[in-house]
Amino acid sequence: MDSSILEKVRELRGQGRSPKQIARTLGMAPAAVAPYVRAVAEQTGGQAAEPELAGCWINAGWGEGLGVPGTTGWADDAPAGQETAGMVSVVVARKHGWDKLSVCAYLVDVYCLGVKHALGPDVMSEVELHRFLPKWFRIYSHGWREAPLDLVRHLVFGAVDYARDLGFEPAAAADFAGAAGHLGAWDEKSAVTFGKDGKPFYLAGPNEDVRHVVKTLERRVGPPPNFDFFAPMPDSPISLGGHRLTP
């Protein structure tokens, strides 16, 4: 790792720059910047106490198809059969000064690919946060609700671990490296069983290399029926999800 780049990344993170902004400033690809962002987080507080939690929200229906132990107390009472099943959205807000909030948001494929999109940390007022929430959760027919931080940690970090076991890294590695700190340190094994009913299910999104994903799954788990996949029609709400979820 280049120590001069690491020092520049540390300086820019100290100025509150996002991973994407750092990549643009340094003239580097976001994926190349991601290891430096992670290293800075580990050195400067990635394992330290985070600012006070102000709120945590998740879409209703997050648990469809997942295995969640009853002992955790994590209930999802939304009816099954939602078109958005397998896609989980999370927002985490922490105190930033006396009148602001630092907000991160995550879009997670809990059936296969793990984190597909991450935003933040972005500084907002409470009014701006309450405007942001309905935009981030707008494709979910049953809305969103408050959630314990432990639940979203097990879902987000657990989905990343699950996807890595299948051969996939977070789609926006630099963005996730910058946003992961809002969830706190992670050195556990998730209590959640990922995949749809315990088996990988790949729902193809826009601009994804479907052949690459399918071949990767075949190498890791064997051919169908060891996993399932589906490429929705262009007008499907799910196929547009990656674009429509971006505020």
Side-chain angles (χ1 to χ4, degrees):
M1 183 171 288
D2 189 317
S3 60
S4 63
I5 295 177
L6 181 64
E7 187 58 36
K8 289 176 183 176
V9 171
R10 182 182 294 109
E11 179 182 351
L12 292 168
R13 285 299 281 164
Q15 296 170 7
R17 304 285 187 90
S18 71
K20 278 188 177 179
Q21 290 171 329
I22 292 172
R24 285 196 295 268
T25 299
L26 298 181
M28 298 172 63
V33 168
Y36 291 94
V37 174
R38 287 195 294 268
V40 169
E42 291 170 0
Q43 294 173 7
T44 61
Q47 306 301 321
E50 288 290 330
E52 181 183 350
L53 185 69
C56 186
W57 299 268
I58 194 169
N59 64 285
W62 60 266
E64 184 169 348
L66 301 180
V68 183
T71 55
T72 60
W74 300 332
D76 177 21
D77 55 5
Q82 298 182 69
E83 291 185 330
T84 51
M87 290 296 169
V88 173
S89 289
V90 169
V91 174
V92 176
R94 292 186 180 273
K95 296 292 182 67
H96 185 86
W98 67 275
D99 65 342
K100 296 290 185 180
L101 300 169
S102 179
V103 179
C104 287
Y106 316 82
L107 172 65
V108 187
D109 174 0
V110 293
Y111 286 173
C112 184
L113 297 180
V115 172
K116 300 190 74 170
H117 190 39
L119 289 178
D122 290 332
V123 176
M124 303 181 185
S125 67
E126 286 195 22
V127 171
E128 290 170 327
L129 172 63
H130 288 300
R131 289 173 180 164
F132 172 76
L133 290 174
K135 293 179 181 179
W136 188 251
F137 291 106
R138 65 180 175 268
I139 71 164
Y140 300 101
S141 58
H142 293 279
W144 68 95
R145 59 198 58 185
E146 290 191 55
L149 182 61
D150 273 355
L151 167 59
V152 301
R153 282 162 44 81
H154 278 251
L155 283 171
V156 178
F157 285 128
V160 170
D161 291 342
Y162 178 72
R164 281 179 174 150
D165 285 343
L166 295 175
F168 307 107
E169 289 295 319
D175 293 339
F176 180 61
H182 264 42
L183 297 167
W186 176 256
D187 58 2
E188 306 175 47
K189 179 176 174 59
S190 180
V192 177
T193 300
F194 293 92
K196 184 177 183 182
D197 301 320
K199 179 168 71 169
F201 175 69
Y202 171 50
L203 180 63
N207 304 317
E208 289 180 354
D209 188 340
V210 177
R211 183 182 297 274
H212 169 72
V213 173
V214 171
K215 291 296 184 184
T216 300
L217 287 169
E218 287 177 339
R219 287 195 300 269
R220 291 299 179 112
V221 301
N226 293 329
F227 71 92
D228 296 311
F229 72 95
F230 178 70
M233 297 298 291
D235 59 350
S236 163
I238 292 297
S239 69
L240 297 174
H243 297 298
R244 293 174 59 191
L245 278 174
T246 304

